[in-house]
């Protein structure tokens, strides 16, 4: 029997620059550069904060894993079982294993809105920002225009063919842009208003300059140089100088996350006011909303068909292809992939590298699957961490 989960939203405001590494090795003569936070990093930080709040004994957790790992090499399924058993022995309550994370997404304070002197933010004062969908294209010379000249890609009509086209799956169609101009995919982000227009399949002329937000308006990078420290002598190591670019959010910009929490854990999550997030244990302030932010959405009407667009990267067993969309996929635009790894604190080694379809990927469907979850990722743990969050929109099959 499924448990009723409380839907909660929170603002994550960095107290310093942040650092989120990708899956590439950090070696001599390289600069480590931060990207945006991924669901795995965010879920780990939130779960760790919940465990600290309930008094979990992390030394006991590690001891439980070592006992199991010394007996044999664990498979991934066995590792998950040992991890759960270890958490229970260390004091994790039963409700903890039902907590689901969503996000993170960038948000910014609406212009002219000022928060009162309280730690509780007003949802009306903050607007969600979404990675640019992969089917939004622009003419390269339109950057200085009052409104960027854009085109929206759509699946090619059924009665048309494209010479040389080899569909990645039987029956799939290519994405087509109806213009003779030299175009490229748009960069940056869409506001919630702009995303609503995209999901409703509004014509390009309905978009305005205010719907588009560049990366430079939201964040920049703080370049720093550091030295390696000997853990025994606590002195600097010779020849271990490194450079790193840290993520620095602009003023009035923060991150937003959502949790689905059993009723027993609601007060525990609300007691969390800070998180250690990303490299070097940088801290962010957690401010809890009274209600979650509203996400844009569009439902098919009068012969329209559904589409979904990823707002967080999605991890699928078959690369870019979500198993939950099998049999309904007409076309897809996947702009790239994100390498996902990390450091396993229990195993004291790197996690296996996986590749996630980038946020902004768009999937055009014949119909929406009846059993579709609130994420597209294949595996339950990836769904629980928030990989593959999506928004639903519409398209016209003409």
């Amino acid at each position: 029997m499924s448990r009723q989960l409380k839907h909660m939203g929170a603002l994550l405001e960095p107290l310093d620059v942040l650092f989120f590494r990708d899956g590439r090795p950090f070696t001599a003569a390289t600069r480590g550069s931060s990207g945006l936070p991924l669901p795995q990093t965010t879920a780990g930080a939130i779960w760790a904060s919940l465990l600290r709040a309930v008094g979990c004994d992390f030394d006991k957790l590690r001891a439980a894993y070592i006992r199991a790992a010394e007996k044999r090499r664990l498979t991934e399924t066995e590792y998950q079982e040992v991890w759960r058993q270890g958490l229970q022995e260390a004091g994790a309550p039963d409700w903890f294993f039902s907590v689901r994370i969503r996000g993170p997404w960038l948000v910014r304070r609406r212009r002219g809105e000022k928060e009162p002197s309280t730690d509780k933010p007003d949802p009306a004062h903050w607007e969600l920002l979404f990675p640019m969908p992969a089917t939004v294209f622009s003419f390269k010379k339109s950057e200085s225009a009052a409104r960027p000249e854009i085109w929206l890609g759509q699946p090619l009509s059924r009665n048309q063919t494209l010479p040389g086209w080899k569909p990645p799956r039987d029956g799939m169609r290519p994405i087509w842009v109806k213009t003779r101009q030299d175009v490229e995919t748009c960069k940056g982000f869409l506001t919630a208003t702009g995303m609503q227009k995209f999901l409703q399949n509004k014509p390009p002329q309905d978009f305005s300059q205010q719907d588009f937000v560049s990366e430079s308006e939201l964040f920049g990078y703080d370049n720093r140089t550091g030295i390696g420290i000997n853990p025994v002598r606590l002195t600097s190591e010779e020849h271990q100088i490194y450079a790193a670019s840290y993520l620095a959010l602009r003023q009035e910009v923060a991150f937003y996350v959502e949790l689905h929490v059993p009723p027993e854990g609601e007060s525990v999550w609300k007691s969390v006011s800070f998180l250690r997030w990303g490299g070097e244990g940088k801290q962010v302030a957690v401010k809890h909303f009274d209600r979650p932010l509203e996400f844009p959405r569009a439902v098919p009407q009068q012969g329209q068909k559904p589409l979904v667009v990823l707002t967080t990267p999605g991890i699928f067993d078959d690369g870019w292809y979500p198993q939950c969309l099998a049999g309904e996929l007409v076309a897809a635009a996947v702009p790239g992939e994100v390498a996902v790894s990390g450091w396993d604190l229990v195993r004291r080694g790197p996690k296996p590298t996986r590749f996630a379809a980038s946020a902004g990927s768009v999937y055009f469907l014949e119909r929406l699957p009846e059993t579709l979850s609130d994420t597209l990722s294949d595996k339950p743990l990836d769904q629980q961490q928030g990989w593959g969050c999506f928004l639903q929109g519409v398209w016209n099959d003409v």
Side-chain angles (χ1 to χ4, degrees):
M1 183 176 66
S2 61
R3 307 184 71 185
Q4 186 67 34
L5 302 180
K6 177 76 172 180
H7 187 187
M8 307 172 71
L11 198 67
L12 304 184
E13 290 189 320
L15 303 179
D16 193 358
V17 294
L18 300 172
F19 191 73
F20 304 102
R21 280 188 57 197
D22 59 17
R24 293 174 294 184
F26 190 23
T27 58
T30 61
R31 173 183 291 275
S33 183
S34 175
L36 292 173
L38 295 174
Q40 174 178 281
T41 309
T42 307
I46 291 174
W47 284 338
S49 70
L50 292 172
L51 291 172
R52 290 191 192 98
V54 298
C56 179
D57 188 334
F58 290 94
D59 291 335
K60 187 176 291 187
L61 168 61
R62 176 166 173 75
Y65 171 76
I66 291 176
R67 287 198 306 271
E70 285 177 343
K71 298 178 181 178
R72 63 187 185 283
R73 184 180 180 87
L74 300 176
T75 66
E76 190 59 32
T77 300
E78 291 172 336
Y79 172 72
Q80 296 298 334
E81 293 175 354
V82 168
W83 178 254
R84 183 184 180 99
Q85 292 172 3
L87 283 169
Q88 290 173 329
E89 291 180 21
D94 290 340
W95 60 259
F96 171 80
F97 301 98
S98 300
V99 175
R100 299 170 66 86
I101 316 295
R102 295 292 174 265
W105 299 278
L106 282 164
V107 291
R108 69 177 178 182
R109 196 190 307 274
R110 297 184 185 276
R111 293 179 180 178
E113 299 289 356
K114 297 295 182 182
E115 295 281 6
S117 56
T118 177
D119 289 335
K120 191 170 291 298
D122 186 343
H125 293 174
W126 294 87
E127 65 173 344
L128 284 157
L129 304 167
F130 300 100
M132 189 69 64
T135 54
V136 180
F137 296 84
S138 65
F139 183 40
K140 294 180 180 180
K141 294 184 179 180
S142 66
E143 294 179 359
S144 60
R147 179 185 64 81
E149 189 173 1
I150 66 169
W151 290 265
L152 301 178
Q154 295 278 327
L156 196 66
S157 299
R158 291 183 184 275
N159 57 1
Q160 293 180 292
T161 58
L162 186 64
W165 164 251
K166 294 182 179 180
R169 291 288 188 281
D170 290 340
M172 289 186 64
R173 296 184 249 165
I175 303 293
W176 195 253
V177 183
K178 296 181 179 179
T179 179
R180 295 181 179 272
Q181 301 284 2
D182 185 12
V183 298
E184 62 181 357
T185 53
C186 279
K187 307 299 182 183
F189 298 81
L190 282 180
T191 64
T193 301
M195 181 59 80
Q196 183 67 50
K197 295 176 183 178
F198 174 83
L199 297 176
Q200 291 176 330
N201 199 30
K202 295 289 186 182
Q205 58 268 24
D206 282 10
F207 289 79
S208 68
Q209 178 68 34
Q210 287 69 36
D211 297 327
F212 298 85
V213 184
S214 65
E215 287 188 358
S216 61
E217 295 178 73
L218 303 176
F219 56 84
Y221 294 95
D222 187 345
N223 298 320
R224 298 184 179 183
T225 302
I227 57 174
I229 300 296
N230 185 295
V232 178
R233 300 192 306 270
L234 299 181
T235 58
S236 61
E237 293 277 21
E238 293 185 7
H239 313 299
Q240 289 194 10
I241 300 176
Y242 64 91
S245 297
Y246 292 79
L247 182 70
L249 297 190
R250 305 299 186 197
Q251 288 188 349
E252 312 297 315
V253 178
F255 289 101
Y256 174 73
V257 295
E258 292 189 345
L259 272 69
H260 294 180
V261 185
E264 306 95 305
E266 180 179 353
S267 61
V268 177
W269 170 236
K270 286 185 176 180
S271 72
V272 175
S273 57
F274 293 94
L275 288 181
R276 296 173 186 171
W277 198 20
E280 301 184 7
K282 299 292 187 181
Q283 289 202 344
V284 295
V286 181
K287 298 183 178 180
H288 301 273
F289 287 104
D290 286 331
R291 63 183 185 281
L293 300 184
E294 293 187 7
F295 284 74
R297 183 172 182 264
V299 179
Q301 298 178 355
Q302 298 178 350
Q304 292 178 320
K305 293 183 177 180
L307 64 78
V308 293
V309 53
L310 291 181
T311 59
T312 64
I315 295 182
F316 314 115
D317 291 337
D318 199 2
W320 59 270
Y321 184 77
Q323 291 295 329
C324 60
L325 303 182
E328 305 295 350
L329 194 58
V330 175
V334 181
E337 59 187 12
V338 180
V340 181
S341 183
W343 189 261
D344 193 316
L345 295 176
V346 176
R347 288 170 167 163
R348 290 190 176 180
K351 296 178 180 179
T353 299
R354 300 187 294 170
F355 294 91
S358 298
S361 298
V362 183
Y363 298 89
F364 296 85
L365 309 175
E366 283 287 352
R367 62 188 62 82
L368 209 63
E370 295 181 359
T371 59
L372 195 62
S373 175
D374 57 353
T375 72
L376 299 185
S377 291
D378 296 339
K379 295 181 178 178
L381 180 59
D382 293 331
Q383 295 174 6
Q384 194 173 4
Q385 291 180 345
W387 294 101
C389 293
F390 66 92
L391 298 175
Q392 179 184 338
V394 300
W395 64 286
N396 297 317
D397 192 1
V398 295

